Amino acid sequence: YDKTVGLWDTKEIGQGKVTLIARLEGHGKQVETVAFHPGGTVFASGGWDQTIRLWRARDGKALGVFARTPNRVAALAFSPDGRLLLAGRQGGRDVPQRITLYTYPEGREQQVFTGHDNVVIATAFHPGGEWVASGGGNNKAILLWHTRSGEILSRLEGRGQTIWAVGFSPDGRFLSWGQTFQRGSSNRRGPLQYRFDLTRLTRLEGGLPEESAIRAREKAGKITLSAERGGPYGLVYRLHVQRRGGFLSKRLSTIERDRTNGYQHTAYTLTPDGQYILSGGFNGVLTLYTTKGEIRARLVGHTGEIKAVAVSADGRWALSGSSDQTLKLWSLTGLPSSGTVEILPTLSLFPATDGEWVAWTPEGYFAASPQGAKLIGYSINQGLDKLAKYVAVEQLYDRFYRPDLLLAKLHGEEKNPWQSAGELIDAATVLHSGLPPEIDFVAPEADITLSQPDIIAQVALIDQGGGIGRVVWKINGITVASDILPPEGRGPQRGATVVVKKHLTLDPGLHTLTV
């Protein structure tokens, strides 16, 4: 972990060249964030040593400690007039739930904001300087609040929550999860509140009974796990694997984590036969080890800290929950006797807070609750210098809404059921062969009030290389009409525009029209 700050000359950045001016020392631990004062003569840095330091911009000369904070500093932002500095927070739940607004250059606390319930990793000022946006917390909310009063003007928040607990039913039919944190051990962070039926693809209220649920196990036969806290970050960085025998125990291995492999063991379990250890860490790291500490599989798919893990009673399936607000189900069958394999999730599940849900496979096939399809879409990577393109799931719904294929994969009817029919290919292949059309509503106008029930709806469909297929008209999410365009309007003709009209009749009331 780097305790220094790099100062660079960027005059030739247009030619792809930057020059290191100085490597600045002063922080006692890892540096997380830097921010330039609007005047351009000074910049601030903050990190794990709980200090904010100031430096002269032209040469990096140390100007001293600006403030000492009660928590690690994760994000810094100066106000547009340069008179305030906002410091986000990083660290565990044992540190104060606060971010601080300081006056500059005095370093006096002007406002202590406690609206977030966990780490705040992003901060920014409104150009007017009166409002601040801060992002973070358990539910990844963005809060807009006033710099003087701390009043929250707006809360931008998704429909998911961190998954704190997971478990299986003894017969493997149900998986269960919880989204409420309760302080406990690494493997007991909260109750099981909901469950999902893997035979019917249905979400149900109420979690599995605690006394029967299969959750993380730290003992299996004669094998036991014990965790050790320490290392450079003061985390649970070691997991000891031991075999009991009479009054003595033999250590089989010690699995150590550092910044290269997840930092710590955030959640861990033995498989029922005691042959493997499944352990999660930061940054979505999820690894299956042998009792000798050898990596047998890397389970790739999560993007946030692993909060909970479990392995089914028969050892065939692993389940994980994460701060990325998803559960993932992994197949542990067919593991090699040596070497390391990469495993993708058989199924990913996003449970929304309003009871809706969507489940999908790495190939892009999905199943969802009645309104759950709105929770999923497809992003196409355009490289580092471009925004990803987004495709709404409605444009590929007919092709990829396939609960039957998900059930086939879950219950072993086909190893890769979508490969058993020639017309079934994965979403990435479909999207890279040509995107669905862009849709431009011509009539009626948005937010319009009509005096009569009949309307002529009109849309322009702009071909993006994938052709134009069936046009589905929906009122309030319900399909009311469907059109198949003539051959000359369907074939791929990149850039071509097809105008489609439809006569529709509306009942009295408020309506949303989608195509």
Side-chain angles (χ1 to χ4, degrees), residues 388-450:
K389 289 187 176 181
Y390 178 78
V391 177
V393 76
E394 288 89 348
Q395 294 181 281
L396 296 173
Y397 189 94
D398 290 346
R399 191 161 196 169
F400 290 101
Y401 180 74
R402 296 298 303 268
D404 57 320
L405 296 183
L406 270 63
L407 287 169
K409 191 171 186 182
L410 285 171
H411 301 292
E413 297 173 28
E414 296 275 359
K415 186 175 182 180
N416 289 304
W418 32 84
Q419 295 179 2
S420 62
E423 76 278 6
L424 295 175
I425 53 179
D426 61 74
T429 301
V430 171
L431 292 171
H432 283 100
S433 65
L435 297 178
E438 290 185 2
I439 302 173
D440 183 17
F441 269 91
V442 178
E445 297 178 1
D447 302 321
I448 192 172
T449 300
L450 303 174

Side-chain angles (χ1 to χ4, degrees), residues 250-497:
K250 177 183 179 182
R251 183 173 295 180
L252 301 180
S253 63
T254 293
I255 304 169
E256 188 167 315
R257 285 257 164 93
D258 57 29
R259 62 175 180 168
T260 67
N261 60 358
Y263 287 93
Q264 76 161 330
H265 299 278
T266 57
Y268 47 89
T269 182
L270 284 159
T271 56
D273 58 10
Q275 292 189 29
Y276 299 104
I277 301 100
L278 179 65
S279 171
F282 291 173
N283 306 323
V285 169
L286 187 57
T287 311
L288 188 72
Y289 301 91
T290 68
T291 55
K292 295 180 180 179
E294 300 166 336
I295 296 177
R296 183 61 73 240
R298 291 184 172 89
L299 286 65
V300 180
H302 278 298
T303 58
E305 179 184 340
I306 308 300
K307 298 294 189 181
V309 292
V311 177
S312 61
D314 60 9
R316 295 180 57 221
W317 298 98
L319 179 64
S320 54
S322 169
S323 61
D324 66 15
Q325 306 180 356
T326 69
L327 298 99
K328 295 190 185 293
L329 186 67
W330 316 80
S331 174
L332 298 183
T333 60
L335 292 171
S337 58
S338 62
T340 302
V341 296
E342 183 177 289
I343 300 175
L344 298 179
T346 300
L347 191 75
S348 297
L349 174 67
F350 175 79
T353 52
D354 58 3
E356 301 292 340
W357 59 271
V358 61
W360 67 96
T361 73
E363 296 80 9
Y365 296 96
F366 74 96
S369 57
Q371 299 299 317
K374 297 178 181 179
L375 302 171
I376 193 172
Y378 305 91
S379 293
I380 302 174
N381 192 342
Q382 301 293 298
L384 292 174
D385 58 342
K386 297 179 182 178
L387 288 175
K389 289 187 176 181
Y390 178 78
V391 177
V393 76
E394 288 89 348
Q395 294 181 281
L396 296 173
Y397 189 94
D398 290 346
R399 191 161 196 169
F400 290 101
Y401 180 74
R402 296 298 303 268
D404 57 320
L405 296 183
L406 270 63
L407 287 169
K409 191 171 186 182
L410 285 171
H411 301 292
E413 297 173 28
E414 296 275 359
K415 186 175 182 180
N416 289 304
W418 32 84
Q419 295 179 2
S420 62
E423 76 278 6
L424 295 175
I425 53 179
D426 61 74
T429 301
V430 171
L431 292 171
H432 283 100
S433 65
L435 297 178
E438 290 185 2
I439 302 173
D440 183 17
F441 269 91
V442 178
E445 297 178 1
D447 302 321
I448 192 172
T449 300
L450 303 174
S451 59
Q452 57 186 18
D454 295 324
I455 64 169
I456 301 297
Q458 182 175 333
V459 295
L461 307 176
I462 306 169
D463 195 329
Q464 299 297 300
I468 301 174
R470 187 160 64 100
V471 181
V472 178
W473 304 84
K474 294 184 179 182
I475 297 176
N476 301 329
I478 299 173
T479 299
V480 295
S482 178
D483 297 314
I484 299 293
L485 298 185
E488 61 271 16
R490 293 203 309 264
Q493 303 173 50
R494 186 181 294 273
T497 300

Side-chain angles (χ1 to χ4, degrees), residues 176-244:
S176 191
W177 70 95
Q179 292 171 291
T180 299
F181 173 75
Q182 290 182 359
R183 189 175 302 278
S185 67
S186 295
N187 291 313
R188 287 291 188 277
R189 289 192 170 100
L192 298 173
Q193 300 167 288
Y194 312 97
R195 67 191 191 277
F196 190 81
D197 189 336
L198 293 172
T199 64
R200 298 170 53 201
L201 298 183
T202 303
R203 176 177 175 172
L204 303 168
E205 290 297 318
L208 294 170
E210 190 65 36
E211 62 272 14
S212 63
I214 308 299
R215 299 185 67 172
R217 48 172 71 82
E218 297 169 24
K219 298 179 181 179
K222 295 183 178 181
I223 305 299
T224 64
L225 300 177
S226 61
E228 178 187 348
R229 184 179 293 272
Y233 308 105
L235 303 172
V236 180
Y237 80 126
R238 283 178 176 166
L239 197 60
H240 301 296
V241 186
Q242 296 174 306
R243 182 190 300 276
R244 293 176 297 168

